[in-house]
Amino acid sequence: MTDQATDVERDTEPDIPGKPTSASRTTLSHIMTHNDTNLLGTVHGGVIMKLVDDAAGAVAGRHSGGPAVTASMDEMAFLEPVRVGDLVHVKAQVNWTGRTSMEVGVRVLAERWNESTPPTQVGSAYLVFAAVDADGKPRRVPPVIPETERDRRRCQEAQIRRTHRLARRRAIRELREKRAAEGFED
């Protein structure tokens, strides 16, 4: 699910008013328990990934004004282990918008539930969401309006990631077509 509208299609559609980055920014917080652990006794990466997807989905839905589905997750980085008793904060915001999709950046922070030390960044990820209507068809999203220099940098970096995603997808498709033409089956 990607933005595939041509410039002509964009020119014939009415403009949707943009929304500032802060309008949909959110933080989801959760205390990690023994139910969240893996065999090593630290919090399972999948638990963190679900929290990341939940927070990013809330932001995408807020920004787009309705349902949005996860199209991809990029660069999920686990920087530090999360332990039982950690209070995890998942901070998410829209970094970039296309016609029907948006990139949401997520930072994961953890702090001990019973200490007053500052939180430590333990992970980060970038997710792409597509806004959908009641029939599951893509629908337009409002442009995001960066408010700070940091927001502008995040928007520029998101455009680079999008270019790389599209180039990677194109290169894989071309390789598969070439191999199929040569008689190789996958």
Side-chain angles (χ1 to χ4, degrees):
M1 302 183 131
T2 59
D3 293 327
Q4 297 188 359
T6 64
D7 290 335
V8 172
E9 289 172 319
R10 288 176 195 254
D11 291 341
T12 61
E13 296 173 340
D15 288 339
I16 297 176
K19 288 185 177 180
T21 307
S22 62
S24 57
R25 187 179 290 139
T26 193
T27 300
L28 177 105
S29 297
H30 189 78
I31 294 178
M32 298 291 106
T33 68
H34 288 287
N35 293 333
D36 301 315
T37 60
N38 58 27
L39 295 174
L40 298 175
T42 56
V43 173
H44 195 289
V47 170
I48 301 299
M49 290 174 75
K50 181 176 182 337
L51 294 173
V52 164
D53 192 44
D54 287 348
V59 166
R62 279 182 172 182
H63 183 81
S64 68
V69 296
T70 310
S72 69
M73 178 184 268
D74 288 354
E75 302 178 31
M76 181 70 212
F78 297 99
L79 306 173
E80 298 283 337
V82 177
R83 302 171 294 160
V84 169
D86 281 353
L87 178 57
V88 172
H89 308 285
V90 184
K91 297 178 175 281
Q93 76 171 47
V94 173
N95 291 335
W96 172 89
T97 55
R99 186 175 161 276
T100 62
S101 66
M102 59 209 112
E103 183 194 271
V104 178
V106 181
R107 285 186 325 129
V108 183
L109 306 165
E111 61 181 312
R112 295 306 291 168
W113 70 275
N114 59 348
E115 297 176 8
S116 59
T117 57
T120 301
Q121 184 170 354
V122 295
S124 65
Y126 300 101
L127 296 87
V128 176
F129 280 79
V132 294
D133 63 18
D135 297 321
K137 303 286 185 211
R139 63 181 174 80
R140 294 206 38 219
V141 299
V144 67
I145 302 169
E147 298 173 281
T148 66
E149 192 53 44
R150 185 178 198 182
D151 293 341
R152 283 185 278 285
R153 175 188 54 80
R154 288 176 141 187
C155 185
Q156 291 171 330
E157 290 173 357
Q159 290 171 349
I160 293 167
R161 282 186 293 275
R162 180 176 187 271
T163 299
H164 286 254
R165 278 191 295 271
L166 294 175
R168 182 177 59 234
R169 185 179 305 142
R170 188 172 36 256
I172 289 170
R173 185 179 59 242
E174 289 170 0
L175 176 62
R176 288 180 179 174
E177 290 170 357
K178 178 182 174 201
R179 290 186 53 78
E182 293 171 350
F184 294 103
E185 292 190 33
D186 292 331

